[in-house]
Amino acid sequence: MLGRVANGMFWMYRYLERAENTARLLAAGHRMALTRGADIADEEWKSVLTTLGQLQQYTQAHDDFSGSHVCDFVLRGKGNQQSVLCMFENARTNARACRSAITAEVWEAVNEGWMTLRDLLARPVRDTSLNVALSAVRSGSTLARGATHGSMMRNEVYSFVRAGTFMERADNTARILDVKYYLLLPSLSYVGTPLDTGQWDNVLRSLSGERAYRWLNAGRMDARSIAQLLILDEQFPRSLVFCYAAMRENLAWLARLHGHEGPAHALMREADLRLTGKSVDDIFDQGLHQFLTEFISRNQAVANAIAQQYRFTT
Amino acid sequence: MSTAEGPFDEMHAPDGSVRDAYRQYDKWLAEQNSAWMRRKHFEAESFFRRTGITFNVYGEEDAEERLIPFDMVPRIITGTEWRRLSKGIEQRVRALNAFMHDLYHRQEIIRCGRLPERLFRNNIAWLPQMVGFTPPGGVYTHIVGIDLVRTGPDEFLVLEDNARTPSGVSYMLENRETMMAMFPELFTRVKVQPVSNYPRRLNKSLSACAPQGAPENPTLAVLTPGIYNSAYFEHAFLADQMGAELVEGSDLRVIEGRVQMRTTQGFQPIDVLYRRVDDEFLDPLTFNPESVLGVPGIFDVYRAGNITIANAPGTGVADDKAIYSFMPEIVEFYTGEKPLLSNVDTWRCADPDSLKYVIEHLHELVVKEVHGSGGYGMLIGPAASRKELNEFRAKLRANPDKYIAQPTLALSTCPIFTKSGLAPRHVDLRPYVLVSPDGCDITPGGLTRVALKKGSLVVNSSQGGGTKDSWVLDD
């Protein structure tokens, strides 16, 4: 396949994944804001913007942190190149540019998802319409993923699709954790006050992990188990370890198709060594924040190596 | 030609009876519930939006994607009519290729005084770089679209030859798919010749034109200017259907005398390039140095015989409207036969007597730019205001070479579906012809374009025209 198309596919699914994760983050923030006082709500919205890397741009346009302003900015803000609408549009543009790499089912799912969002986000999002918009993002992304899973050949194209998906997901999980890392530090995790429990619950919800957590921990809430789930659990589909297992698998498949490995495989293996086989204590000893920042930059390095090895650009 | 009672209608005879071609369809239609048909009409639109069959309109502020309106009443031609028609098309296409070869070699037609030399010397589509070179397989126009209009039961006239990069074939294919999805039972009642194998035929025809020394299954690629091109959907569609790579200029590079594409595993050579990029942009080293759409050095590879470019560069010289007016002579010169298909009468404004006539009769003529296409920059005399007519007279006097004029034809009509039932609208037809050393391959039917506005004669999609599924009956 063409290097340009591999690039387009890789990023199409990164955009879709990011759009979906952003919607999840907004939904969790919204819930938090509804159940807490105004101060906490403001802080929560600020941290959502920090996680997304949009705080600075937001404060240039707004001088408050009201939920409707933040959500509107993140979903469809004028001039916000990272808005969910832009993400979806980018995904669709890539799908169009790589039309012959995807099936009609995938194209129709992305195209329809984009048309729905474009219409829903044509006007400012109100509190009352927020949930409709968020679930449209999620279902658009879900449909595209489902169509991909159900209709695409497990060839090179698919490997780039999956590599992009899990690279983005790992990045997003790490960023969400990093903004809230202080909540998970052992020193602060004396038996959870209602405040902590609420914050922890929020972190889990941001990653759709609340249900998985309950099943694994039978209602006991503590920082250690949360870190265990979100970083190290092999079964939770948004944990760092899970994402890396999927990335390894897809890179290995590419190596098999091409008959050889390359620098991206070496970097991937190295990044994986820092993660797999670790315990929560190892990570806390190293320092959670440091661990996460290193993870994010190593993840980025793997993405760059993939782009170079597979000739994404000239 | 047109009769007193108006243009020729392909479905209904003047006495209201249904013509042969439409008899079975009409019977089916009479059995359908009209509310159900209206629902179907809306269904078609959402179907097209979802699948993304759109085109971009040039000259629009934000090049939004638009739908080409689709009308669900088929345009029907009988097998007998088609057989006669396709003979004429094949003759014309053979002549076009022979003409092109002659123009870029010995120019016999000019030596014998049958064609004035200035016609192509002043032609911007003439490429001196092609002189003395024969494309692989001797084929110049691998894909041709012949625009036909009908003025009577047996009268099909050629309105235009598209020898560069005829577009619209994806609509021919999707229109049929849409019709079959919407009215499956109709196709069990009426036997229609299939068109869906066009991409396979295109692949086969292009492969047969591969350069000498290419493998038995040559590597094909479709070169597109990119997603902002108005026909991008078609480029992607054809590449996908043919199982060929869809490439952009930035994917290609000349390495070791071959045109190669950048894949995830390094550069791989291409044998046949179906390019949907104009000549001018093909090679910045040979043509427009500003072009980023093409491939630097591709023309040298081509001249060395190491790649097939379809259509060949320089074919535009044969399809402008000044050459068009000589097509009857050209057909006769190269085939030794009388043309089976007639031209529309054409006045060349470069000729002073013709110019005088055109200026005097402007209100009843259609005037076109010699190098124009897509319905841009044309004047329809009967529909023009006095001011527009005067402006055009000035243009004609200033640059007579740039224009030709034709009578305003009574194009045939075919019914479309409207809120108040069926209503006749003017149509044309573009059949698609594939040319290879193995011969001409014409897909039965083609693209019917229809002017959706009552009385309008402009069928171009960029000017508010729509399309119809075109049937050739299997009889």
Side-chain angles (χ1 to χ4, degrees), chain A residues 96 99-100 107, chain B residues 48 50-56 65-66 68 168-175 224 226-241 246 276:
Chain A
R96 216 163 109 74
R99 183 61 188 78
S100 53
W107 163 250
Chain B
F48 276 81
R50 205 171 58 236
T51 50
I53 304 175
T54 59
F55 73 109
N56 305 335
E65 298 154 26
R66 294 271 201 84
I68 296 188
V169 77
S170 56
Y171 296 101
M172 170 185 89
L173 296 168
E174 286 290 318
N175 287 351
T224 174
I227 60 168
Y228 300 108
N229 184 270
S230 64
Y232 175 77
F233 163 77
E234 177 159 302
H235 308 162
F237 179 88
L238 288 176
D240 193 39
Q241 297 277 312
L246 178 67
R276 299 292 296 255

mmCIF file of all heavy atoms in Angstrom, chain A residues 96 99-100 107, chain B residues 48 50-56 65-66 68 168-175 224 226-241 246 276:
data_model
loop_
_atom_site.group_PDB
_atom_site.id
_atom_site.type_symbol
_atom_site.label_atom_id
_atom_site.label_comp_id
_atom_site.label_asym_id
_atom_site.label_seq_id
_atom_site.Cartn_x
_atom_site.Cartn_y
_atom_site.Cartn_z
ATOM 1 N N ARG A 96 -11.875 10.017 2.867
ATOM 2 C CA ARG A 96 -12.111 10.395 1.480
ATOM 3 C C ARG A 96 -10.827 10.290 0.669
ATOM 4 O O ARG A 96 -10.816 9.786 -0.450
ATOM 5 C CB ARG A 96 -12.606 11.843 1.463
ATOM 6 C CG ARG A 96 -13.632 12.139 0.428
ATOM 7 C CD ARG A 96 -14.331 13.430 0.779
ATOM 8 N NE ARG A 96 -13.952 14.503 -0.131
ATOM 9 C CZ ARG A 96 -14.385 14.581 -1.385
ATOM 10 N NH1 ARG A 96 -15.191 13.675 -1.872
ATOM 11 N NH2 ARG A 96 -14.009 15.576 -2.154
ATOM 12 N N ARG A 99 -10.037 6.650 0.055
ATOM 13 C CA ARG A 99 -11.298 5.969 -0.188
ATOM 14 C C ARG A 99 -11.101 4.541 -0.684
ATOM 15 O O ARG A 99 -11.878 3.649 -0.355
ATOM 16 C CB ARG A 99 -12.114 6.792 -1.188
ATOM 17 C CG ARG A 99 -13.476 6.275 -1.517
ATOM 18 C CD ARG A 99 -14.369 6.204 -0.302
ATOM 19 N NE ARG A 99 -15.622 5.522 -0.635
ATOM 20 C CZ ARG A 99 -15.736 4.211 -0.741
ATOM 21 N NH1 ARG A 99 -14.699 3.437 -0.513
ATOM 22 N NH2 ARG A 99 -16.878 3.659 -1.054
ATOM 23 N N SER A 100 -10.037 4.319 -1.476
ATOM 24 C CA SER A 100 -9.893 2.970 -2.023
ATOM 25 C C SER A 100 -9.227 2.022 -1.025
ATOM 26 O O SER A 100 -9.077 0.845 -1.313
ATOM 27 C CB SER A 100 -9.145 2.993 -3.366
ATOM 28 O OG SER A 100 -7.929 3.668 -3.233
ATOM 29 N N TRP A 107 -16.720 3.783 4.914
ATOM 30 C CA TRP A 107 -16.925 5.136 4.394
ATOM 31 C C TRP A 107 -18.295 5.671 4.788
ATOM 32 O O TRP A 107 -18.434 6.790 5.275
ATOM 33 C CB TRP A 107 -16.738 5.164 2.868
ATOM 34 C CG TRP A 107 -17.325 6.396 2.286
ATOM 35 C CD1 TRP A 107 -18.427 6.493 1.517
ATOM 36 C CD2 TRP A 107 -16.857 7.752 2.474
ATOM 37 N NE1 TRP A 107 -18.699 7.796 1.217
ATOM 38 C CE2 TRP A 107 -17.753 8.586 1.788
ATOM 39 C CE3 TRP A 107 -15.787 8.316 3.170
ATOM 40 C CZ2 TRP A 107 -17.608 9.967 1.764
ATOM 41 C CZ3 TRP A 107 -15.646 9.708 3.148
ATOM 42 C CH2 TRP A 107 -16.541 10.508 2.447
ATOM 43 N N PHE B 48 -27.731 8.685 -2.108
ATOM 44 C CA PHE B 48 -26.556 9.314 -2.708
ATOM 45 C C PHE B 48 -25.748 10.093 -1.670
ATOM 46 O O PHE B 48 -24.533 10.070 -1.676
ATOM 47 C CB PHE B 48 -26.965 10.240 -3.856
ATOM 48 C CG PHE B 48 -27.138 9.515 -5.157
ATOM 49 C CD1 PHE B 48 -28.302 8.831 -5.443
ATOM 50 C CD2 PHE B 48 -26.112 9.495 -6.083
ATOM 51 C CE1 PHE B 48 -28.451 8.154 -6.630
ATOM 52 C CE2 PHE B 48 -26.255 8.819 -7.287
ATOM 53 C CZ PHE B 48 -27.429 8.141 -7.563
ATOM 54 N N ARG B 50 -25.461 9.510 1.473
ATOM 55 C CA ARG B 50 -24.772 8.611 2.376
ATOM 56 C C ARG B 50 -23.539 8.015 1.710
ATOM 57 O O ARG B 50 -22.492 7.898 2.307
ATOM 58 C CB ARG B 50 -25.735 7.513 2.817
ATOM 59 C CG ARG B 50 -25.386 6.903 4.141
ATOM 60 C CD ARG B 50 -26.483 5.979 4.616
ATOM 61 N NE ARG B 50 -26.734 4.926 3.662
ATOM 62 C CZ ARG B 50 -27.922 4.666 3.121
ATOM 63 N NH1 ARG B 50 -28.952 5.401 3.431
ATOM 64 N NH2 ARG B 50 -28.070 3.681 2.268
ATOM 65 N N THR B 51 -23.705 7.614 0.462
ATOM 66 C CA THR B 51 -22.575 6.967 -0.206
ATOM 67 C C THR B 51 -21.541 7.993 -0.641
ATOM 68 O O THR B 51 -20.444 7.636 -1.012
ATOM 69 C CB THR B 51 -23.035 6.161 -1.423
ATOM 70 O OG1 THR B 51 -23.868 6.998 -2.203
ATOM 71 C CG2 THR B 51 -23.809 4.941 -0.997
ATOM 72 N N GLY B 52 -21.912 9.280 -0.586
ATOM 73 C CA GLY B 52 -20.913 10.308 -0.852
ATOM 74 C C GLY B 52 -20.639 10.546 -2.314
ATOM 75 O O GLY B 52 -19.563 10.961 -2.699
ATOM 76 N N ILE B 53 -21.630 10.246 -3.153
ATOM 77 C CA ILE B 53 -21.447 10.520 -4.574
ATOM 78 C C ILE B 53 -21.680 11.998 -4.794
ATOM 79 O O ILE B 53 -22.806 12.450 -4.936
ATOM 80 C CB ILE B 53 -22.436 9.704 -5.408
ATOM 81 C CG1 ILE B 53 -22.270 8.243 -5.063
ATOM 82 C CG2 ILE B 53 -22.220 9.953 -6.881
ATOM 83 C CD1 ILE B 53 -23.258 7.360 -5.724
ATOM 84 N N THR B 54 -20.621 12.733 -4.754
ATOM 85 C CA THR B 54 -20.774 14.176 -4.856
ATOM 86 C C THR B 54 -19.788 14.709 -5.866
ATOM 87 O O THR B 54 -18.876 14.019 -6.284
ATOM 88 C CB THR B 54 -20.456 14.853 -3.519
ATOM 89 O OG1 THR B 54 -19.115 14.527 -3.158
ATOM 90 C CG2 THR B 54 -21.395 14.393 -2.434
ATOM 91 N N PHE B 55 -19.968 15.932 -6.255
ATOM 92 C CA PHE B 55 -18.941 16.577 -7.049
ATOM 93 C C PHE B 55 -18.727 17.972 -6.495
ATOM 94 O O PHE B 55 -19.602 18.523 -5.835
ATOM 95 C CB PHE B 55 -19.352 16.621 -8.520
ATOM 96 C CG PHE B 55 -20.439 17.599 -8.830
ATOM 97 C CD1 PHE B 55 -20.161 18.746 -9.545
ATOM 98 C CD2 PHE B 55 -21.739 17.383 -8.395
ATOM 99 C CE1 PHE B 55 -21.171 19.652 -9.838
ATOM 100 C CE2 PHE B 55 -22.743 18.291 -8.679
ATOM 101 C CZ PHE B 55 -22.459 19.429 -9.408
ATOM 102 N N ASN B 56 -17.574 18.528 -6.683
ATOM 103 C CA ASN B 56 -17.313 19.883 -6.209
ATOM 104 C C ASN B 56 -17.528 20.837 -7.373
ATOM 105 O O ASN B 56 -17.166 20.536 -8.496
ATOM 106 C CB ASN B 56 -15.881 20.020 -5.712
ATOM 107 C CG ASN B 56 -15.561 19.001 -4.646
ATOM 108 O OD1 ASN B 56 -16.437 18.514 -3.957
ATOM 109 N ND2 ASN B 56 -14.295 18.647 -4.529
ATOM 110 N N GLU B 65 -19.271 20.054 -1.283
ATOM 111 C CA GLU B 65 -19.615 18.910 -2.102
ATOM 112 C C GLU B 65 -21.099 18.967 -2.433
ATOM 113 O O GLU B 65 -21.913 19.171 -1.562
ATOM 114 C CB GLU B 65 -19.296 17.625 -1.346
ATOM 115 C CG GLU B 65 -17.827 17.498 -1.045
ATOM 116 C CD GLU B 65 -17.571 16.640 0.180
ATOM 117 O OE1 GLU B 65 -18.416 15.791 0.465
ATOM 118 O OE2 GLU B 65 -16.537 16.832 0.820
ATOM 119 N N ARG B 66 -21.401 18.791 -3.687
ATOM 120 C CA ARG B 66 -22.794 18.823 -4.113
ATOM 121 C C ARG B 66 -23.197 17.469 -4.668
ATOM 122 O O ARG B 66 -22.370 16.724 -5.151
ATOM 123 C CB ARG B 66 -22.972 19.829 -5.250
ATOM 124 C CG ARG B 66 -22.744 21.254 -4.861
ATOM 125 C CD ARG B 66 -24.044 21.866 -4.370
ATOM 126 N NE ARG B 66 -23.972 23.308 -4.451
ATOM 127 C CZ ARG B 66 -24.240 23.985 -5.558
ATOM 128 N NH1 ARG B 66 -24.592 23.360 -6.660
ATOM 129 N NH2 ARG B 66 -24.156 25.294 -5.562
ATOM 130 N N ILE B 68 -25.138 15.433 -7.582
ATOM 131 C CA ILE B 68 -25.750 15.587 -8.892
ATOM 132 C C ILE B 68 -27.131 14.964 -8.788
ATOM 133 O O ILE B 68 -27.266 13.805 -8.422
ATOM 134 C CB ILE B 68 -24.934 14.871 -9.982
ATOM 135 C CG1 ILE B 68 -23.568 15.522 -10.098
ATOM 136 C CG2 ILE B 68 -25.676 14.928 -11.306
ATOM 137 C CD1 ILE B 68 -22.762 15.031 -11.258
ATOM 138 N N GLY B 168 -17.596 11.094 -15.593
ATOM 139 C CA GLY B 168 -19.017 10.794 -15.423
ATOM 140 C C GLY B 168 -19.349 9.320 -15.425
ATOM 141 O O GLY B 168 -20.470 8.936 -15.122
ATOM 142 N N VAL B 169 -18.357 8.480 -15.724
ATOM 143 C CA VAL B 169 -18.664 7.052 -15.852
ATOM 144 C C VAL B 169 -19.087 6.457 -14.509
ATOM 145 O O VAL B 169 -19.875 5.516 -14.451
ATOM 146 C CB VAL B 169 -17.459 6.299 -16.468
ATOM 147 C CG1 VAL B 169 -16.357 6.085 -15.457
ATOM 148 C CG2 VAL B 169 -17.905 4.975 -17.064
ATOM 149 N N SER B 170 -18.601 7.047 -13.407
ATOM 150 C CA SER B 170 -19.005 6.515 -12.098
ATOM 151 C C SER B 170 -20.499 6.746 -11.871
ATOM 152 O O SER B 170 -21.150 5.974 -11.184
ATOM 153 C CB SER B 170 -18.194 7.155 -10.984
ATOM 154 O OG SER B 170 -18.320 8.547 -11.034
ATOM 155 N N TYR B 171 -21.038 7.815 -12.451
ATOM 156 C CA TYR B 171 -22.477 8.046 -12.316
ATOM 157 C C TYR B 171 -23.253 7.022 -13.111
ATOM 158 O O TYR B 171 -24.305 6.550 -12.679
ATOM 159 C CB TYR B 171 -22.837 9.467 -12.756
ATOM 160 C CG TYR B 171 -22.205 10.488 -11.861
ATOM 161 C CD1 TYR B 171 -21.066 11.163 -12.242
ATOM 162 C CD2 TYR B 171 -22.721 10.718 -10.598
ATOM 163 C CE1 TYR B 171 -20.453 12.055 -11.383
ATOM 164 C CE2 TYR B 171 -22.122 11.615 -9.734
ATOM 165 C CZ TYR B 171 -20.987 12.286 -10.141
ATOM 166 O OH TYR B 171 -20.388 13.160 -9.286
ATOM 167 N N MET B 172 -22.720 6.672 -14.289
ATOM 168 C CA MET B 172 -23.354 5.619 -15.068
ATOM 169 C C MET B 172 -23.491 4.363 -14.203
ATOM 170 O O MET B 172 -24.545 3.728 -14.152
ATOM 171 C CB MET B 172 -22.516 5.320 -16.315
ATOM 172 C CG MET B 172 -22.955 4.067 -17.063
ATOM 173 S SD MET B 172 -21.854 3.657 -18.451
ATOM 174 C CE MET B 172 -20.643 2.611 -17.643
ATOM 175 N N LEU B 173 -22.414 4.029 -13.486
ATOM 176 C CA LEU B 173 -22.412 2.800 -12.693
ATOM 177 C C LEU B 173 -23.281 2.918 -11.448
ATOM 178 O O LEU B 173 -24.065 2.032 -11.127
ATOM 179 C CB LEU B 173 -20.972 2.448 -12.295
ATOM 180 C CG LEU B 173 -20.063 2.133 -13.483
ATOM 181 C CD1 LEU B 173 -18.607 2.080 -13.044
ATOM 182 C CD2 LEU B 173 -20.466 0.821 -14.127
ATOM 183 N N GLU B 174 -23.162 4.042 -10.751
ATOM 184 C CA GLU B 174 -23.924 4.207 -9.519
ATOM 185 C C GLU B 174 -25.416 4.385 -9.798
ATOM 186 O O GLU B 174 -26.251 3.963 -9.007
ATOM 187 C CB GLU B 174 -23.390 5.389 -8.711
ATOM 188 C CG GLU B 174 -22.063 5.080 -8.025
ATOM 189 C CD GLU B 174 -22.193 4.074 -6.877
ATOM 190 O OE1 GLU B 174 -23.156 4.183 -6.097
ATOM 191 O OE2 GLU B 174 -21.337 3.187 -6.770
ATOM 192 N N ASN B 175 -25.738 5.030 -10.913
ATOM 193 C CA ASN B 175 -27.150 5.188 -11.254
ATOM 194 C C ASN B 175 -27.805 3.824 -11.433
ATOM 195 O O ASN B 175 -28.930 3.595 -10.987
ATOM 196 C CB ASN B 175 -27.310 6.005 -12.536
ATOM 197 C CG ASN B 175 -27.008 7.483 -12.323
ATOM 198 O OD1 ASN B 175 -26.833 7.915 -11.188
ATOM 199 N ND2 ASN B 175 -26.937 8.243 -13.396
ATOM 200 N N THR B 224 -4.792 11.075 -9.466
ATOM 201 C CA THR B 224 -5.804 12.106 -9.206
ATOM 202 C C THR B 224 -5.126 13.392 -8.749
ATOM 203 O O THR B 224 -4.080 13.326 -8.105
ATOM 204 C CB THR B 224 -6.805 11.648 -8.118
ATOM 205 O OG1 THR B 224 -7.681 12.729 -7.797
ATOM 206 C CG2 THR B 224 -6.088 11.221 -6.840
ATOM 207 N N GLY B 226 -6.333 15.042 -6.446
ATOM 208 C CA GLY B 226 -6.583 15.046 -4.999
ATOM 209 C C GLY B 226 -8.031 15.280 -4.648
ATOM 210 O O GLY B 226 -8.883 15.422 -5.533
ATOM 211 N N ILE B 227 -8.300 15.324 -3.338
ATOM 212 C CA ILE B 227 -9.690 15.300 -2.880
ATOM 213 C C ILE B 227 -10.456 16.569 -3.206
ATOM 214 O O ILE B 227 -11.667 16.585 -3.101
ATOM 215 C CB ILE B 227 -9.811 15.033 -1.363
ATOM 216 C CG1 ILE B 227 -9.105 16.113 -0.553
ATOM 217 C CG2 ILE B 227 -9.280 13.667 -0.996
ATOM 218 C CD1 ILE B 227 -9.453 16.046 0.919
ATOM 219 N N TYR B 228 -9.774 17.629 -3.583
ATOM 220 C CA TYR B 228 -10.514 18.851 -3.887
ATOM 221 C C TYR B 228 -10.905 18.954 -5.349
ATOM 222 O O TYR B 228 -11.578 19.881 -5.762
ATOM 223 C CB TYR B 228 -9.716 20.087 -3.442
ATOM 224 C CG TYR B 228 -9.474 20.033 -1.965
ATOM 225 C CD1 TYR B 228 -8.223 19.774 -1.439
ATOM 226 C CD2 TYR B 228 -10.554 20.171 -1.082
ATOM 227 C CE1 TYR B 228 -8.028 19.676 -0.066
ATOM 228 C CE2 TYR B 228 -10.374 20.073 0.282
ATOM 229 C CZ TYR B 228 -9.113 19.826 0.787
ATOM 230 O OH TYR B 228 -8.942 19.715 2.137
ATOM 231 N N ASN B 229 -10.488 17.985 -6.143
ATOM 232 C CA ASN B 229 -10.886 17.982 -7.551
ATOM 233 C C ASN B 229 -12.366 17.622 -7.668
ATOM 234 O O ASN B 229 -12.876 16.799 -6.910
ATOM 235 C CB ASN B 229 -10.028 16.974 -8.309
ATOM 236 C CG ASN B 229 -10.328 16.999 -9.794
ATOM 237 O OD1 ASN B 229 -11.189 16.272 -10.273
ATOM 238 N ND2 ASN B 229 -9.655 17.866 -10.508
ATOM 239 N N SER B 230 -13.021 18.230 -8.661
ATOM 240 C CA SER B 230 -14.470 18.027 -8.754
ATOM 241 C C SER B 230 -14.832 16.573 -9.042
ATOM 242 O O SER B 230 -15.909 16.123 -8.709
ATOM 243 C CB SER B 230 -15.058 18.935 -9.832
ATOM 244 O OG SER B 230 -14.548 18.579 -11.088
ATOM 245 N N ALA B 231 -13.929 15.841 -9.663
ATOM 246 C CA ALA B 231 -14.259 14.455 -10.017
ATOM 247 C C ALA B 231 -13.558 13.465 -9.092
ATOM 248 O O ALA B 231 -13.439 12.286 -9.425
ATOM 249 C CB ALA B 231 -13.890 14.188 -11.467
ATOM 250 N N TYR B 232 -13.099 13.925 -7.934
ATOM 251 C CA TYR B 232 -12.336 13.037 -7.045
ATOM 252 C C TYR B 232 -13.095 11.758 -6.723
ATOM 253 O O TYR B 232 -12.531 10.665 -6.716
ATOM 254 C CB TYR B 232 -11.948 13.743 -5.740
ATOM 255 C CG TYR B 232 -11.275 12.795 -4.787
ATOM 256 C CD1 TYR B 232 -9.945 12.418 -4.981
ATOM 257 C CD2 TYR B 232 -11.964 12.199 -3.745
ATOM 258 C CE1 TYR B 232 -9.332 11.505 -4.152
ATOM 259 C CE2 TYR B 232 -11.353 11.276 -2.913
ATOM 260 C CZ TYR B 232 -10.041 10.939 -3.124
ATOM 261 O OH TYR B 232 -9.438 10.019 -2.310
ATOM 262 N N PHE B 233 -14.388 11.904 -6.472
ATOM 263 C CA PHE B 233 -15.167 10.721 -6.136
ATOM 264 C C PHE B 233 -15.012 9.649 -7.213
ATOM 265 O O PHE B 233 -14.832 8.471 -6.922
ATOM 266 C CB PHE B 233 -16.655 11.079 -5.979
ATOM 267 C CG PHE B 233 -17.532 9.869 -6.042
ATOM 268 C CD1 PHE B 233 -17.632 9.014 -4.958
ATOM 269 C CD2 PHE B 233 -18.214 9.551 -7.205
ATOM 270 C CE1 PHE B 233 -18.409 7.869 -5.028
ATOM 271 C CE2 PHE B 233 -18.982 8.407 -7.286
ATOM 272 C CZ PHE B 233 -19.085 7.573 -6.190
ATOM 273 N N GLU B 234 -15.040 10.091 -8.444
ATOM 274 C CA GLU B 234 -14.930 9.140 -9.556
ATOM 275 C C GLU B 234 -13.548 8.494 -9.617
ATOM 276 O O GLU B 234 -13.415 7.294 -9.890
ATOM 277 C CB GLU B 234 -15.236 9.859 -10.870
ATOM 278 C CG GLU B 234 -15.073 8.961 -12.072
ATOM 279 C CD GLU B 234 -15.834 9.482 -13.261
ATOM 280 O OE1 GLU B 234 -17.061 9.647 -13.149
ATOM 281 O OE2 GLU B 234 -15.198 9.738 -14.294
ATOM 282 N N HIS B 235 -12.520 9.282 -9.370
ATOM 283 C CA HIS B 235 -11.153 8.740 -9.398
ATOM 284 C C HIS B 235 -11.018 7.618 -8.364
ATOM 285 O O HIS B 235 -10.502 6.542 -8.654
ATOM 286 C CB HIS B 235 -10.120 9.827 -9.098
ATOM 287 C CG HIS B 235 -10.268 11.049 -9.972
ATOM 288 N ND1 HIS B 235 -9.715 12.263 -9.651
ATOM 289 C CD2 HIS B 235 -10.902 11.229 -11.154
ATOM 290 C CE1 HIS B 235 -10.021 13.142 -10.588
ATOM 291 N NE2 HIS B 235 -10.736 12.535 -11.513
ATOM 292 N N ALA B 236 -11.499 7.921 -7.146
ATOM 293 C CA ALA B 236 -11.403 6.933 -6.069
ATOM 294 C C ALA B 236 -12.248 5.711 -6.400
ATOM 295 O O ALA B 236 -11.833 4.563 -6.208
ATOM 296 C CB ALA B 236 -11.866 7.558 -4.755
ATOM 297 N N PHE B 237 -13.418 5.975 -6.928
ATOM 298 C CA PHE B 237 -14.351 4.904 -7.264
ATOM 299 C C PHE B 237 -13.747 3.950 -8.299
ATOM 300 O O PHE B 237 -13.768 2.727 -8.130
ATOM 301 C CB PHE B 237 -15.639 5.536 -7.804
ATOM 302 C CG PHE B 237 -16.687 4.552 -8.209
ATOM 303 C CD1 PHE B 237 -17.596 4.081 -7.284
ATOM 304 C CD2 PHE B 237 -16.774 4.115 -9.518
ATOM 305 C CE1 PHE B 237 -18.571 3.178 -7.655
ATOM 306 C CE2 PHE B 237 -17.752 3.210 -9.901
ATOM 307 C CZ PHE B 237 -18.655 2.739 -8.965
ATOM 308 N N LEU B 238 -13.194 4.511 -9.351
ATOM 309 C CA LEU B 238 -12.641 3.663 -10.421
ATOM 310 C C LEU B 238 -11.423 2.890 -9.935
ATOM 311 O O LEU B 238 -11.258 1.713 -10.256
ATOM 312 C CB LEU B 238 -12.292 4.507 -11.648
ATOM 313 C CG LEU B 238 -13.499 5.015 -12.440
ATOM 314 C CD1 LEU B 238 -13.049 5.927 -13.569
ATOM 315 C CD2 LEU B 238 -14.322 3.856 -12.982
ATOM 316 N N ALA B 239 -10.562 3.557 -9.178
ATOM 317 C CA ALA B 239 -9.378 2.862 -8.653
ATOM 318 C C ALA B 239 -9.837 1.682 -7.795
ATOM 319 O O ALA B 239 -9.360 0.555 -7.950
ATOM 320 C CB ALA B 239 -8.517 3.818 -7.829
ATOM 321 N N ASP B 240 -10.795 1.962 -6.936
ATOM 322 C CA ASP B 240 -11.291 0.927 -6.043
ATOM 323 C C ASP B 240 -11.884 -0.239 -6.830
ATOM 324 O O ASP B 240 -11.591 -1.399 -6.571
ATOM 325 C CB ASP B 240 -12.353 1.557 -5.131
ATOM 326 C CG ASP B 240 -12.704 0.650 -3.970
ATOM 327 O OD1 ASP B 240 -11.777 0.015 -3.436
ATOM 328 O OD2 ASP B 240 -13.885 0.571 -3.613
ATOM 329 N N GLN B 241 -12.710 0.084 -7.813
ATOM 330 C CA GLN B 241 -13.388 -0.954 -8.589
ATOM 331 C C GLN B 241 -12.426 -1.748 -9.473
ATOM 332 O O GLN B 241 -12.664 -2.901 -9.787
ATOM 333 C CB GLN B 241 -14.482 -0.327 -9.456
ATOM 334 C CG GLN B 241 -15.575 0.336 -8.666
ATOM 335 C CD GLN B 241 -16.610 -0.664 -8.193
ATOM 336 O OE1 GLN B 241 -17.086 -1.488 -8.947
ATOM 337 N NE2 GLN B 241 -16.943 -0.615 -6.913
ATOM 338 N N LEU B 246 -4.818 4.359 -6.029
ATOM 339 C CA LEU B 246 -5.180 5.736 -6.336
ATOM 340 C C LEU B 246 -4.014 6.608 -5.880
ATOM 341 O O LEU B 246 -3.753 6.697 -4.682
ATOM 342 C CB LEU B 246 -6.452 6.119 -5.584
ATOM 343 C CG LEU B 246 -6.925 7.546 -5.767
ATOM 344 C CD1 LEU B 246 -7.382 7.792 -7.191
ATOM 345 C CD2 LEU B 246 -8.051 7.863 -4.798
ATOM 346 N N ARG B 276 -5.880 11.366 -14.302
ATOM 347 C CA ARG B 276 -7.001 12.289 -14.369
ATOM 348 C C ARG B 276 -6.487 13.695 -14.067
ATOM 349 O O ARG B 276 -7.160 14.497 -13.447
ATOM 350 C CB ARG B 276 -8.088 11.860 -13.387
ATOM 351 C CG ARG B 276 -8.648 10.468 -13.671
ATOM 352 C CD ARG B 276 -9.449 10.398 -14.954
ATOM 353 N NE ARG B 276 -10.626 11.220 -14.906
ATOM 354 C CZ ARG B 276 -11.877 10.762 -14.749
ATOM 355 N NH1 ARG B 276 -12.097 9.479 -14.653
ATOM 356 N NH2 ARG B 276 -12.899 11.583 -14.724
#
